[in-house]
Each structure stands twice: as structure tokens, then as C-alpha cells.
Amino acid sequence: MNNGGAEAAVAPVGGPQPLEWKFSQVFGERTAGEEIQEVDIISAIEFNRTGDHLATGDRGGRVVLFERTDTQDHVGHQRDLEKMDYPINRHPMFRYKTEFQSHEPEFDYLKSLEIEEKINKIRWCQSANGALSLLSANDKTIKFWKVQEKKVKKVCSMNVDSTKAMGNGPIVGSGISTSSRQYIANGGCTSNDFSFPTGGFPSLHLPVVTSHETNLMARCRRIYGHAHDYHINSISNNSDGETFISADDLRINLWNLEISSQSFNIVDVKPANMEDLTEVITSAEFHPTHCNMLAYSSSKGSIRLIDMRQSALCDRHTKLFVEQEAPGSRSFFTDIIASISDIKFAKDGRHMLSRDYLTLKLWDINMDSGPVKTFQVHEYLRPKLCDLYENDSIFDKFECCLSGDGLRVATGSYSNLFRVFGCSEGSKEATTLEASKTPMRRHGLTSSRPLRSLGSPSGAVRRGKGADNAALDANGNSFDFATKLLHLAWHPTENSLACAASNSLYMYYA
């Protein structure tokens, strides 16, 4: 793969070759000079289990659903294309399906706090009867949504003559006989007796209810609230299909999907005296196959694996995963950059992926002595930690994801860049891509060339942070800390990535 100075190295003979990523499609692409609304910025993204549906949440509290179009219903169309002379590109294609308002801004009068409508997490649930089910969470409340097609019912075959009803004519159908009309005009009886007219009312009939079209309807089935004193940072579905967990800074709660009135506190790290607090929970995830196991990460860079069968309150961990510091490497920023922002289990349940500020780490749950592999995401920012601390960028929380086969991992960076690493034995794959229609474009840039800020609505050309004092990546490109790719998701069965760059959703395939 020729990418002009890119960081993707060719794997050794016999090892897996780096993937060649191509642009697939984009939703919500900005036009030149378009101002980005804060409420439109994407804050969560998730594929469902089959990969046929994709959900995004934004800071305005909305959830947008996309559905795949190159399977099932479109197979016939694909076959027709195959018969034509020109070749077709086979890769996952999605289209807009529907959207709904999941959360509204609220105000906590007891604590005098505003609760944002921003969607923090989305998790798909098992589907039933053709309906799509998902959980969405903001800082305080989790909601269970069901999205399904509803037939729009319409009343037809009325006894009203529409042509005459619009004018001054009688509203009863013209087919009714004169004697019948006289019967109706007299209040249901003739002038002579109370008998029905001869032959009854042959033209009167009951209206018929018919279903003409189907509309997608989103219904909030349950609201799981009043269980978190601090901001919710994670929700995760259990493999049993019946329960899920929600985590905030100090507690993890276990819920039953059918019961919204109560939850069970299974992890509590809140000390008796808050002055003794040294670390907080940053992320939590259920094991993909063992319904009794879950892992949670902390701001000190550790991951704890717990077994819910040991006790009701899981205050003791089964295993502790933490990388030991190198002697003499400690600094003011050590604890800050060690904080884990996201963890994910591989589909096989054997490996875990964690993301801290500068690195991705792959762990084997059977080996707690240290990570199996460490990937440097943007090590060239280490000399700039002081500047990053001053502008609060050092506290950015990047997500990570694994491919369905577990052979590759991905995470985001600044300037709307994202990295893809190979994690199989002998792989040297380390590709840098940009969330744009030309993902390899930035690899040809040099540090002397002015950098267009993707976050600037005017699209004005400007130099990187401080021009001469800019942070440069391995290719000599300036970093724009205002545009960061925090959220991305890997298709569960194919090499396809969905990336959220501000208010735009970019999709790539390999």
C-alpha cells in the first residue's frame, strides 16, 4: 500500500498484510462556511450485533438510526448490476432510517444542577418481533427505546359523498332512495308509522378501517433514573439478555431490563471520607460470554476483573491489570495520562483493549503481569503535555474498538485522525487515516505548509498551534487540538469503520 510516507509498515513475509482503507460514505458533511451547532456534534456511536444497523447520539439528546442497504432487500438489485458490463464496488452501504429525541435538558432542583441532554452512551439490546431495541443514557438517566414499524390506519368507505359534502348538497350518499331520505329527515320514522322503509337502507354501510402505509415509531418503554449521584460514563448489556450495568465515577449498578424501579449496587468505591478519594471509575464493560464477569477501569490506569458470584457487593476484584511504571519516569502528568478512558472486550472474551491518553493496550485476561501489546497512538505529543494541560486537551476521553476477528484495533486522535493497528503475532501494521473523503490526504503534508482547521466553519487557512511551536506527528504534520476524533466503532463482522468527526459521520471499508 503506497501512502506517501504513511506510518503503515509492510508486514514481514508470512505475517498479515496491512489493510488498504477506502472511503465509503458520509452523513452530515459540512459545507464551506457552514457553522456547526453544538447540539449537532456526535457524542456516541454503536453498531448492533449483526452490523445491519448503526446508531448515533448527539449533544442535542437525539438518537439517529441508520440501516444497511447492500443486504437482503437489495440483493436483487445487486444481481441486476452484476449483469451489466461495468464493475461494482462491494462494501457496506448504509442509509438514514429514522431519528427521535431521546433526552431533554432537565434541572435538578435539590442540587441546583442543570442536566444536559447530551447522549453519553448507546447500547443495542436483543431484538424481538422485528422491533429494534436500544438503551441510551445521558448524565443521569437511562432510557429503553423500542423502534418498530407501525401501520397507519385510515377509515375508508364512508357514507359521505365527498363531492357534495364540499358544497351545499346533502352529506348522505346519493344512492339512498327518496323514501329512505324522508325516513332519516323525520328523525328515523315516517309520518304514518314507526316501521322501517321497504327494503331497508341498501346504500348505507359500515366504514372500513384499512392500513395503507407503515411509519417507524420510537417508543420509550422504560426510564431507569434516580440511581446515580454522579455522571454516568458507561452502560453495558449482559450476555444473558436480561440485565445491564450502568457506571458513574464511584458506583456500578446492576439493572434488570424489565424493572426500572430498582437497581442493585454491585461496586462502590466511595470512601467514608471524600478527602481520601484517590481514584474514580472511568469505564465498565460486561464480559461478552460469561454473564457473571465484568471489568471496570480507573483513573489510575488499572483494570479490575470481578466475579458477581463471589458476593452481592463486589468490593474485591478477581484480577487486577496494571502496568508498572518505569523507574524514574514519574512526573506531574503521569497520573493524568495514565487514566483509562475506555475499555472493550474482544469478541472471544480472552482479550481486553484499553485506551489511555497516549496509548492503546491489549491485555490477556489470563495474564495480569502486564499488557500483551502496547500501541503508541500519538507519542509525539509527550513533549507538549504542559500545553495540553493548559488548554484541557489532556483530559479528552478517546474511545477504542476491536475488529470482529480480533486481529486489529482502532482509536482516534487529533486533527480528525484515527489509527488502525494490527495486533496479531508478527504484525507491524500501524496506519494513520483522516476522517475525510480522502483518508490518506494528510500523509503528504509537511510542517511548513499552513494547516486548514477542520473545526473552523469558515475553512480559513491557518497555521497549527503556535506555528513554530506546533505539535508535529511522525510525518511532520501539525496537530489541530480543536478537531478530535473521540468516537468510532468497528463493524462486528467486516472490516468497516464508522467515525464521528464533529457533526459528520464518516464510514470506511477495507
Side-chain angles (χ1 to χ4, degrees), residues 191-246:
S191 56
N192 301 324
D193 52 34
F194 294 98
S195 62
F196 287 95
T198 305
F201 298 99
S203 297
L204 280 178
H205 49 265
L206 290 173
V208 179
V209 178
T210 59
S211 298
H212 277 276
E213 57 184 18
T214 57
N215 282 350
L216 278 170
M217 304 287 289
R219 289 181 54 207
C220 181
R221 300 299 301 270
R222 289 174 198 89
I223 299 177
Y224 313 90
H226 312 293
H228 288 279
D229 293 329
Y230 304 94
H231 290 176
I232 297 171
N233 56 48
S234 303
I235 53 175
S236 178
N237 295 97
N238 199 346
S239 58
D240 62 10
E242 298 178 357
T243 56
F244 71 94
I245 55 170
S246 59

Side-chain angles (χ1 to χ4, degrees), residues 121 123 234 282-288 295-298 301-305 321 338-367 370-377 398-412 419-424 486 488-490 497:
K121 292 291 177 182
R123 289 293 181 267
S234 303
T282 57
S283 182
E285 182 95 354
F286 258 121
H287 191 278
Y296 69 91
S297 60
S298 81
S302 63
I303 302 173
R304 289 172 172 84
L305 192 68
F321 303 90
S339 178
I340 296 175
S341 56
D342 190 27
I343 59 171
K344 291 285 195 310
F345 272 102
K347 188 180 283 188
D348 61 5
R350 173 74 182 268
H351 294 90
M352 286 187 300
L353 183 68
S354 68
R355 171 70 203 262
D356 56 40
Y357 188 67
L358 293 178
T359 66
L360 267 178
K361 292 185 175 74
L362 186 68
W363 305 82
D364 187 329
I365 64 171
N366 294 337
M367 190 178 75
V372 178
K373 278 197 173 186
T374 300
F375 307 98
Q376 305 295 339
V377 180
F398 293 93
E399 293 181 0
C400 59
C401 59
L402 297 99
S403 61
D405 55 15
L407 297 179
R408 292 173 179 85
V409 296
T411 191
R419 309 289 311 276
V420 178
F421 299 96
C423 54
S424 58
L486 302 177
L488 75 171
W490 202 301
L497 276 167

Side-chain angles (χ1 to χ4, degrees), residues 302-475:
S302 63
I303 302 173
R304 289 172 172 84
L305 192 68
I306 62 175
D307 190 336
M308 294 191 296
R309 296 173 298 185
Q310 290 185 342
S311 62
L313 182 64
C314 303
D315 49 359
R316 294 184 180 180
H317 53 264
T318 305
K319 286 189 177 181
L320 175 66
F321 303 90
V322 62
E323 187 174 28
Q324 300 301 320
E325 291 179 20
S329 63
R330 188 162 186 81
S331 70
F332 172 77
F333 303 108
T334 299
D335 286 341
I336 301 175
I337 63 175
S339 178
I340 296 175
S341 56
D342 190 27
I343 59 171
K344 291 285 195 310
F345 272 102
K347 188 180 283 188
D348 61 5
R350 173 74 182 268
H351 294 90
M352 286 187 300
L353 183 68
S354 68
R355 171 70 203 262
D356 56 40
Y357 188 67
L358 293 178
T359 66
L360 267 178
K361 292 185 175 74
L362 186 68
W363 305 82
D364 187 329
I365 64 171
N366 294 337
M367 190 178 75
D368 54 6
S369 58
V372 178
K373 278 197 173 186
T374 300
F375 307 98
Q376 305 295 339
V377 180
H378 38 219
E379 180 64 20
Y380 20 83
L381 293 182
R382 193 177 289 275
K384 295 290 180 182
L385 291 180
C386 188
D387 296 334
L388 294 164
Y389 180 78
E390 289 178 359
N391 63 21
D392 286 341
S393 293
I394 200 170
F395 301 106
D396 288 334
K397 300 183 184 304
F398 293 93
E399 293 181 0
C400 59
C401 59
L402 297 99
S403 61
D405 55 15
L407 297 179
R408 292 173 179 85
V409 296
T411 191
S413 182
Y414 292 103
S415 300
N416 280 344
L417 299 179
F418 62 99
R419 309 289 311 276
V420 178
F421 299 96
C423 54
S424 58
E425 191 67 31
S427 175
K428 301 293 184 182
E429 181 176 358
T431 309
T432 303
L433 301 149
E434 182 189 27
S436 69
K437 287 186 175 179
T438 52
M440 309 306 296
R441 177 178 58 179
R442 290 182 56 86
H443 294 167
L445 299 183
T446 62
S447 58
S448 60
R449 179 178 171 180
L451 177 69
R452 176 185 178 272
S453 168
L454 296 178
S456 171
S458 63
V461 173
R462 66 174 183 84
R463 292 201 174 267
K465 185 173 180 272
D468 297 330
N469 194 34
L472 305 179
D473 65 15
N475 296 318

Side-chain angles (χ1 to χ4, degrees), residues 21-27 42 44-48 51 53-56 66 92 94 399-402 410-412 418 420 435 485-492 494-501 504-510:
W21 291 92
K22 297 179 180 179
F23 169 78
S24 175
Q25 57 190 140
V26 59
F27 296 94
I42 298 172
I45 183 169
E46 185 83 1
F47 280 104
N48 72 339
H53 290 89
L54 176 68
T56 64
F66 301 89
F94 286 79
E399 293 181 0
C400 59
C401 59
L402 297 99
T411 191
F418 62 99
V420 178
L485 200 150
L486 302 177
H487 313 284
L488 75 171
W490 202 301
H491 192 280
E494 301 178 15
N495 285 323
S496 176
L497 276 167
C499 306
S504 302
L505 176 66
Y506 287 91
M507 306 198 72
Y508 302 91
Y509 71 100

